[in-house]
Amino acid sequence: MDKDWMLADRRSLRFQTGFENFLKFASGNAADKTSIRCSSLKCCNHHGFTTGVIKDHVFCNGIMPNYRNWAKHGEPSAMNARSNEKLETVEGLPEGVDSEESQGEEMSIDSDEFLRFVEDGDKPLYPGCTKTTKLNALIELFNLKAKHTMAVACFSDVLLLIGMLLPVLNELPSNIYEAKKSFAALGMEYEKIHACPNDCILYRGDHEEAVICPECSTSRYKLGKNNVVKDGIAAKVLWYFPVIPRFKRMFQSPKTAKDLTWYADRKKDGTMRHPADPPTWELVDKK
């Protein structure tokens, strides 16, 4: 499907015709036709409206020119299509014939968000840019933010300033919220858990509502002037990175998953070659 109309002048017949076809496609694939994702530069597919409102937004603000794969509107992603082609090729092979591609770097069909993240990693920062990609630019900017302990408001202003200096149609997010969403597919979420300043306990489970450590009687919250408790401001916080999202990433590639589970199919002849060989390893498998 020709999508070059997205780069045409909004007033041109070519743009209007292509945009109408886009709305028909989006409406035909929408479960709720009153809440279709708006692809205008204002909404960037984050909000849903009727086609009438979307028309107003696009003709006032323009459409996302780099939204060439309409994955948010029901079109299969390009990488999924390639994965399906590989799958069909593998299914067509004679029995017993293995395919290197089938064991390669293809991802599971349920990994759409991660695949889009991979696609972002290959996107140039702006059309014609050969020095860096969108992903590399964001990583460098976040490193700069951490190095200089940059405030959120300051970081957002930096993004806006750099975006103004870059050519039109650049991929740089306009604020820190959009920038963080670019990394969401990596599963980098975390939990903040209050902890005793003396490392006695974590305020979770039976101690979730406690305000004083049962072991050392230290306040859970910081103390201000005259030892007045600052309610809501924890004295110490543990940043916990859940392991399950990381396991999901590790098992998204069939090749990586096979490498991680090799011990399940290892040779068992009574000789101990690996920690998984002793009988005590069964406790690990069962628990």
Side-chain angles (χ1 to χ4, degrees), residues 24-36:
K24 289 179 182 178
F25 178 85
S27 180
N29 288 284
D32 181 4
K33 292 180 172 52
T34 63
S35 184
I36 300 172

Side-chain angles (χ1 to χ4, degrees), residues 263 266 268 275-287:
Y263 68 88
R266 69 189 184 281
K268 301 178 183 179
D277 291 328
T280 51
W281 188 268
E282 292 182 5
L283 298 174
V284 178
D285 290 334
K286 292 178 179 179
K287 294 185 178 182

Side-chain angles (χ1 to χ4, degrees), residues 196 200-203 207 210-218:
C196 170
C200 300
I201 64 164
L202 294 176
Y203 288 98
H207 305 299
V211 294
I212 295 177
C213 175
E215 300 292 332
C216 65
S217 300
T218 303

Side-chain angles (χ1 to χ4, degrees), residues 32-206:
D32 181 4
K33 292 180 172 52
T34 63
S35 184
I36 300 172
R37 290 180 183 265
C38 179
S39 299
S40 68
L41 288 173
K42 176 182 179 181
C43 300
C44 297
N45 286 330
H46 297 311
H47 307 288
F49 303 101
T50 62
T51 54
V53 175
I54 295 175
K55 283 184 180 180
D56 292 340
H57 283 194
V58 168
F59 284 114
C60 289
N61 303 289
I63 197 168
M64 298 168 60
N66 293 317
Y67 182 49
R68 312 305 290 273
N69 181 257
W70 301 337
K72 298 287 187 181
H73 296 85
E75 184 178 24
S77 69
M79 294 193 72
N80 270 355
R82 290 196 293 270
S83 295
N84 290 339
E85 289 176 1
K86 290 178 181 178
L87 183 60
E88 291 174 0
T89 303
V90 172
E91 289 177 344
L93 291 174
E95 184 177 358
V97 178
D98 195 7
S99 170
E100 184 178 352
E101 293 292 335
S102 67
Q103 298 179 3
E105 298 303 324
E106 72 273 19
M107 299 292 182
S108 65
I109 297 175
D110 297 329
S111 307
D112 287 345
E113 289 187 5
F114 187 79
L115 291 173
R116 282 193 288 273
F117 175 82
V118 174
E119 290 176 345
D120 277 350
D122 295 329
K123 282 183 180 178
L125 184 57
Y126 53 85
C129 176
T130 57
K131 292 184 177 180
T132 188
T133 64
K134 172 185 176 182
L135 180 60
N136 287 338
L138 284 176
I139 291 174
E140 291 296 332
L141 285 169
F142 271 105
N143 284 339
L144 191 67
K145 177 183 182 299
K147 180 179 179 180
H148 299 286
T149 59
M150 200 179 297
V152 171
C154 178
F155 187 70
S156 293
D157 289 344
V158 169
L159 288 174
L160 280 174
L161 177 61
I162 296 176
M164 291 171 58
L165 298 175
L166 289 175
V168 182
L169 308 183
N170 66 79
E171 294 285 343
L172 194 70
S174 59
N175 54 61
I176 191 170
Y177 171 74
E178 296 297 332
K180 285 184 176 181
K181 285 191 67 176
S182 299
F183 293 104
L186 277 178
M188 299 174 66
E189 62 268 22
Y190 57 87
E191 299 176 21
K192 290 184 178 181
I193 304 173
H194 292 184
C196 170
N198 297 319
D199 300 326
C200 300
I201 64 164
L202 294 176
Y203 288 98
R204 60 184 305 181
D206 295 338

